[in-house]
Structures are given as C-alpha cells and as structure tokens.
Amino acid sequence: MLLSACSDPLSLPPATDPNVVDTLTLDGLSGTDIGIPSGYDMANLTKIRTDRASPFDFAFDIDTSGVSKIFPTGALGIGGNSGVLYAETSFERVDDPPLEGYVTDSALVIDVDSVFIVRGRPAGAGIVPCPFFLGSLPRYGKFRVLAIDPQVRQVTLESLINVNCGYRRLQPGFPDS
C-alpha cells in the first residue's frame, strides 16, 4: 500500500533541505590536545573527536615535515568507505561529483585554495533519512582550504554538503539531482 501511494516508488524522495555554503575549522590529529576535534562527520554536519569514535568521513593532520593532509577513514585504518578526490575546477564550479575515482586508502595533500570532494561513508536510514529500499547511501561534499595555521595545527575549510537522500548536486539551494 505504501509503495502504491507514489507514482514511482523507487525514485528519490523530494529534496527537503537546501545546500548551504559554510565554514569549519579542524585541528590536527597530532600535536594538539586529544579533546579537540580533528574529524568531520558529513552525516551529522559535526566536528568529531577521533579518540572517542569513528563515525566521521575525514580527518586533518600536518605531518612532521609540515605537509597538510586530509585523511579518509580507510587511510587511518578504520574502514568506513569514505573517499577524497581533488576537484579539477574551482569550488564554485564543482557541481556533480563523480561516483567513482575516490581515494580511500591514503591521504590527500592540501594547501591553501585546494579544492577537494568527499564521498562520505554510506549511512543507513538511521543517519540519512532515506527510504529503506534505497539502502545505505553516501553524502557528497565539496571543500576549499581557506587557511592553514601550522603553528596551532588548524585548517579552515569552506564547505557545501548535500544532506538530501541520494542527491549529489553540490550547488547552493535545493538540489534537483
């Protein structure tokens, strides 16, 4: 009966939340207080302390030679299937992120003005409001490095994350796909 209520029961539900550009700051995994968030959870749009749990999609660190990096969860040895990918265009022009080609097992080197795309770990219906028949779907987000402070070991990122079930479009406003 529920399936017959829709004209196409296997289509995506309507987008309910607009895509919004925001900023966030993460501290390094190393060389900072353990209680300060180094990871980011795209499913809940929150910074995460990586010492407490692994429900995050990527983390930030600066290595011993001063190189700044973004780590998908696989690169930290905790699984999760998140992935990172350099964008080949400006932040504003990233529109439809690819479905494949994401790096899942190694870090992405970043610098100021680097633009990268993150495919979040697949999240179940309890995290991302999706109909059960769609299964676990990842969220997609785009990020631009606004600043890196090597002294305090922080990165500030401009971000846009599509929080709508099954949608990938990464432009401000309500997505249509």
Side-chain angles (χ1 to χ4, degrees), residues 49-161:
R49 285 180 53 176
T50 57
D51 65 311
R52 290 201 169 161
S54 60
F56 59 90
D57 299 294
F58 66 91
F60 166 74
D61 201 16
I62 299 175
D63 70 17
T64 56
S65 62
V67 177
S68 299
K69 299 178 180 181
I70 295 294
F71 292 83
T73 53
L76 297 171
I78 56 175
N81 298 322
S82 65
V84 294
L85 179 69
Y86 287 114
E88 296 181 11
T89 188
S90 69
F91 179 85
E92 294 78 18
R93 295 193 62 174
V94 173
D95 190 14
D96 290 315
L99 292 171
E100 298 179 359
Y102 293 87
V103 176
T104 60
D105 59 356
S106 59
L108 192 73
V109 174
I110 59 167
D111 204 347
V112 173
D113 288 327
S114 293
V115 178
F116 60 95
I117 302 167
V118 177
R119 180 194 63 213
R121 70 206 186 284
I127 298 174
V128 178
C130 292
F132 71 92
F133 58 84
L134 289 176
S136 294
L137 299 171
R139 284 195 173 167
Y140 291 87
K142 63 180 178 178
F143 300 84
R144 181 170 68 99
V145 180
L146 297 176
I148 297 171
D149 187 334
Q151 301 304 318
V152 292
R153 305 182 65 78
Q154 285 184 335
V155 64
T156 301
L157 303 169
E158 179 176 33
S159 67
L160 184 145
I161 300 164

Side-chain angles (χ1 to χ4, degrees), residues 6 8-15 129-131 133-134 137 162 164-169 175-177:
C6 300
D8 183 0
L10 299 179
S11 65
L12 292 175
C130 292
F133 58 84
L134 289 176
L137 299 171
N162 194 328
N164 294 283
C165 174
Y167 289 78
R168 294 183 306 128
R169 175 90 16 109
D176 58 3
S177 62

